[in-house]
Amino acid sequence: MKEHIAELIGVAIDTLKQQGVLPTDLTARVMVENTKDKSHGDFATNIALMLAKQARCAPRDLAQKLVEALPKSDSVTQVDIAGPGFINFFASSETINAVVGQILAQKESYGLSQVGAKQRVQVEFVSANPTGPLHVGHGRGAAYGATISDLLAAVGFDVYREYYVNDAGRQMDILATSVWLRYLELSGERLEFPSNGYKGEYIREIARKVQDQFGQALIKSAKDVFDGVSADEPKGGDKEIHIDELIAKAKSLLGIVNYEGLFDIALNDIRWDIEDDLAEFGVRYQKWFSERSLTRGGDVEKSLKLLQDAGHIYEQEDGALWFRSTAFGDDKDRCVRRENGMTTYFASDIAYMNNKFERGFDKVLYVFGADHHGYLPRMKAVCQALGYPLEKLDFRLVQFAILYRGTERVQMSTRSGSFVTLRELRDEVGNDAARFFYVSRKSDQHMDFDLDLAKSQSKDNPVYYIQYAHARVCSVMRKLAEHQWQFDAALGLANLDRLDSDYEKNLMTALARYPEILENAALNYEPHALALYLKDLSSEFHTWYNALKVLEEDEVLRNARLTLSDAVRQVLANGLGLLGVQAPEEM
RNA sequence: GCCUCAAUAGCUCAGUUGGAUAGAGCGUCCCCCUCCUAAGGGGAAGGCCGCAGGUUCGAUUCCUGCUUGGGGCACCA
């Protein structure tokens, strides 16, 4: 309908050009918007205000001329000029009603589009280090990444979801060493657990699995392990040096084969746990991309060579290699290979990005936690240094959620190992509430996540409110049978003109907005827009439902209202599905 | 010190390419089931859109400065 009105305006503009009222070289983008106030009709355009200057003409006069030049249309019943020069359009009831038939015909595909034109988009999200279970901060990234991926797919993009597994590097060594030390404790050794080690209870569980698999084979005396290792921080030493020396001890005492065996048990255990956790949360990936595969496959060396050949890498006296990211606006240059010959995590990041581009994606999207925002300049620098246009790259930052129980803030602490995990959150409030709450706010804003509200089964809780609207329609459909009635959609659709109340008109207008909401939410990576829309639609529905009876004696009216109910149900189901939330038939 | 995101009703937040009288929900106050799920609905009150300038027909929206908060950065992923 908006397109139709824009076309009408376009014709009117051309006519005025021919009449010499408007300059022929004038270009205008006609904007048609939904009106907020019903007295302003159904659609409005500010075109006269925008063109007034170029036309050397008062806005209202220009609006008058445009209206006079407007071609006739069956869909438009009335055109007004209002305010400083807005042109308001009133749509015919047939035009407004038409959406109901559309929805019933298109069912789950109502709202989908092809604006993405099958462009290939790669989305990387969560990518938390496999050093422990996901916590509630990761949960928001997971819900957000999964939802924008699904939204993009819904509007015609070819979406490829990836989780980058940091399965190489120091953090993983710390994990493996932590597991080993707990294993030694289980075996009866008494030792001082390093302050920088991973202390969560899950480490002990993994240690028991190591015991199952290796038996006594990995036992060394605590005396041998700590012999020659410098002091830990609480005893006046440096905790980083302390843990690094313990890692070295683990490798030398166990030998490379046993060490890697231990390492892999820890890695796989946590990775499976994360994968399982996310799957239960309705989050699935096309690929779990291993960092080790980049190192071992030579991708890291290859991409560094690429940058080196392009002159973006320099070597310092100590032998370390640096990427000149300052040439692309970064604050400082970045080390890619340390003096000890080890490549940095950043070197892997470069290799991974290069790998993504080589796979030919049209768009590469990173969803980061907000604490990683300092990464953006260097990532953009890499993109340019590799010779790819920045337009292919996109970043979205997800802020952390702060948990509350009512008004009381839930304390979280990663250090003590007593953080709130995503799994704990899901167990407490359920997947539906968690998925919905996470994406119901703009992603780059902090959000307060009220656990009590998320659990409450009342109208205060938007998830239940929306789900209840869906269940209500289903309930009405079930009630039909009790009256020995049947839903006659054809009869209803043929008599939509019986739905002449403002309640019903508002509902249909809301239904008609869905495809546009969906498209904007997807293209702007803003799932909260869809969440808000579903709440609004539910509200319109409840208002109508409360005011007018669906199961009327009058068969024609009854079926007309049933078609509208079913259309609402369908759109709610479609929208909730995209948010990863169930649409229950009864509650 | 630099970067970044924010600042809208008592609270939590919308406001998408600059538009008409700035919107929801909660909370407060009032009201509505002999009726399809009251797990719902209606109404009232509540605002210098952080402050000060600028751009123009018009600014909550764009630009600059300031104030106040969140977060990040000092070969650590």
Side-chain angles (χ1 to χ4, degrees):
Chain A
M1 186 60 190
K2 283 187 180 180
E3 290 78 11
H4 179 63
I5 290 173
E7 281 169 26
L8 298 179
I9 295 282
V11 172
I13 290 174
D14 288 342
T15 307
L16 292 188
K17 279 182 184 174
Q18 283 166 20
Q19 293 173 358
V21 177
L22 289 172
T24 48
D25 59 342
L26 171 142
T27 55
R29 298 176 60 186
V30 181
M31 285 179 58
V32 180
E33 53 189 24
N34 297 91
T35 52
K36 294 168 192 164
D37 188 328
K38 279 186 286 290
S39 66
H40 298 148
D42 301 299
F43 302 95
T45 178
N46 62 353
I47 190 71
L49 293 154
M50 298 185 68
L51 296 183
K53 200 169 190 180
Q54 294 180 71
R56 299 173 168 283
C57 176
R60 279 196 74 108
D61 293 343
L62 179 59
Q64 185 60 44
K65 285 173 183 161
L66 280 168
V67 171
E68 282 162 9
L70 218 51
K72 277 231 177 295
S73 165
D74 290 340
S75 323
V76 178
T77 55
Q78 187 186 336
V79 181
D80 288 349
I81 297 167
F86 291 97
I87 303 174
N88 296 332
F89 295 83
F90 291 76
S92 69
S93 58
E94 288 75 21
T95 305
I96 295 172
N97 294 348
V99 69
V100 177
Q102 251 179 56
I103 295 169
L104 262 53
Q106 297 177 15
K107 295 192 162 54
E108 47 282 322
S109 56
Y110 174 70
L112 304 185
S113 76
Q114 291 302 325
V115 287
K118 291 202 161 46
Q119 286 182 75
R120 300 182 64 221
V121 185
Q122 192 266 4
V123 187
E124 183 200 331
F125 59 105
V126 185
S127 298
N129 284 346
T131 51
L134 297 177
H135 57 70
V136 292
H138 298 126
R140 191 172 183 194
Y144 178 75
T147 306
I148 59 172
S149 296
D150 292 349
L151 285 172
L152 287 169
V155 299
F157 288 89
D158 188 3
V159 183
Y160 201 80
R161 305 158 181 83
E162 286 188 41
Y163 187 117
Y164 180 59
V165 185
N166 286 103
D167 52 8
R170 182 162 171 269
Q171 294 303 318
M172 289 306 298
D173 281 325
I174 295 177
L175 172 77
T177 302
S178 299
V179 169
W180 185 50
L181 293 173
R182 289 303 190 203
Y183 160 91
L184 293 179
E185 284 181 343
L186 287 176
S187 311
E189 291 296 323
R190 294 173 64 91
L191 52 87
E192 206 59 50
F193 198 80
S195 57
N196 214 19
Y198 287 98
K199 299 193 186 100
E201 181 54 34
Y202 63 95
I203 299 291
R204 286 199 173 84
E205 285 166 25
I206 299 171
R208 276 188 276 276
K209 288 176 186 166
V210 173
Q211 224 172 17
D212 292 344
Q213 196 153 333
F214 281 88
Q216 314 287 304
L218 305 184
I219 298 180
K220 305 290 170 189
S221 75
K223 187 171 170 298
D224 287 346
V225 174
F226 286 85
D227 184 46
V229 172
S230 55
D232 197 2
E233 191 148 290
K235 294 191 171 169
D238 183 319
K239 61 180 180 182
E240 304 292 348
I241 294 173
H242 180 71
I243 193 87
D244 278 339
E245 289 178 356
L246 283 173
I247 291 168
K249 268 300 183 71
K251 288 179 178 171
S252 65
L253 288 173
L254 291 173
I256 195 67
V257 174
N258 277 344
Y259 179 79
E260 286 191 356
L262 168 86
F263 185 103
D264 285 343
I265 290 176
L267 167 65
N268 289 329
D269 189 83
I270 293 175
R271 222 213 78 172
W272 281 111
D273 178 68
I274 290 175
E275 193 166 337
D276 192 50
D277 197 7
L278 290 174
E280 285 177 19
F281 199 35
V283 178
R284 288 183 177 76
Y285 293 90
Q286 272 70 51
K287 189 172 180 67
W288 292 71
F289 197 102
S290 155
E291 179 186 359
R292 274 197 293 192
S293 73
L294 290 170
T295 329
R296 292 177 177 173
D299 281 51
V300 174
E301 289 307 318
K302 188 180 81 180
S303 52
L304 289 186
K305 183 91 175 21
L306 274 174
L307 292 184
Q308 207 152 15
D309 291 347
H312 299 304
I313 301 268
Y314 61 91
E315 184 170 354
Q316 285 202 328
E317 300 87 45
D318 59 11
L321 290 186
W322 287 71
F323 169 50
R324 203 187 311 277
S325 53
T326 48
F328 301 99
D330 196 6
D331 293 340
K332 48 181 233 168
D333 292 341
R334 306 290 169 179
C335 184
V336 291
R337 198 174 71 198
R338 300 203 274 182
E339 53 179 306
N340 64 11
M342 298 280 290
T343 54
T344 60
Y345 280 79
F346 180 53
S348 299
D349 293 337
I350 294 171
Y352 187 25
M353 189 190 292
N354 189 53
N355 176 289
K356 290 180 185 179
F357 283 133
E358 282 183 345
R359 281 185 278 161
F361 291 110
D362 297 303
K363 186 76 112 182
V364 169
L365 178 59
Y366 287 87
V367 176
F368 281 152
D371 54 335
H372 279 62
H373 99 266
Y375 267 43
L376 268 53
R378 78 189 73 163
M379 297 302 269
K380 288 178 181 168
V382 171
C383 176
Q384 294 172 84
L386 288 170
Y388 295 99
L390 273 181
E391 292 72 46
K392 281 183 178 271
L393 212 55
D394 240 324
F395 299 94
R396 297 310 282 188
L397 296 177
V398 178
Q399 293 280 357
F400 289 126
I402 302 165
L403 298 184
Y404 287 84
R405 282 186 202 286
T407 53
E408 193 179 339
R409 186 168 174 168
V410 177
Q411 290 300 329
M412 279 183 291
S413 168
T414 326
R415 243 167 239 289
S416 63
S418 66
F419 46 77
V420 179
T421 63
L422 173 60
R423 188 170 266 119
E424 286 166 348
L425 176 74
R426 295 195 295 104
D427 285 346
E428 179 162 348
V429 307
N431 286 321
D432 287 346
R435 282 289 300 256
F436 188 91
F437 270 61
Y438 270 136
V439 299
S440 62
R441 298 273 178 271
K442 270 180 9 193
S443 64
D444 58 358
Q445 284 215 22
H446 301 269
M447 70 173 295
D448 294 334
F449 192 127
D450 185 342
L451 296 169
D452 289 342
L453 179 61
K455 279 187 293 186
S456 82
Q457 307 202 349
S458 73
K459 61 178 176 171
D460 305 351
N461 182 347
V463 187
Y464 280 86
Y465 185 79
I466 297 166
Q467 289 183 321
Y468 176 48
H470 183 273
R472 249 184 165 171
V473 177
C474 296
S475 170
V476 169
M477 292 297 179
R478 285 192 298 271
K479 272 274 179 336
L480 274 177
E482 288 179 21
H483 293 85
Q484 311 291 327
W485 287 334
Q486 287 202 328
F487 177 29
D488 186 340
L491 181 65
L493 289 173
N495 292 282
L496 289 175
D497 56 340
R498 294 290 300 276
L499 307 180
D500 53 3
S501 70
D502 280 348
Y503 298 112
E504 286 151 337
K505 192 179 166 189
N506 288 344
L507 250 186
M508 289 188 270
T509 306
L511 290 172
R513 282 171 54 219
Y514 178 69
E516 184 189 340
I517 296 285
L518 191 55
E519 185 175 316
N520 284 336
L523 297 179
N524 299 324
Y525 309 133
E526 289 183 341
H528 77 279
L530 177 57
L532 289 168
Y533 166 80
L534 293 176
K535 203 181 158 214
D536 286 344
L537 177 62
S538 302
S539 176
E540 297 275 13
F541 169 76
H542 286 306
T543 302
W544 169 62
Y545 185 89
N546 208 260
L548 299 172
K549 202 167 160 67
V550 175
L551 296 181
E552 285 281 350
E553 288 294 329
D554 178 343
E555 186 184 12
V556 172
L557 182 57
R558 180 174 73 235
N559 277 292
R561 288 189 176 154
L562 282 170
T563 57
L564 180 56
S565 302
D566 199 42
V568 171
R569 186 201 56 74
Q570 185 69 62
V571 171
L572 289 175
N574 293 0
L576 287 174
L578 285 170
L579 296 182
V581 178
Q582 301 286 319
E585 297 195 356
E586 52 188 321
M587 295 175 71

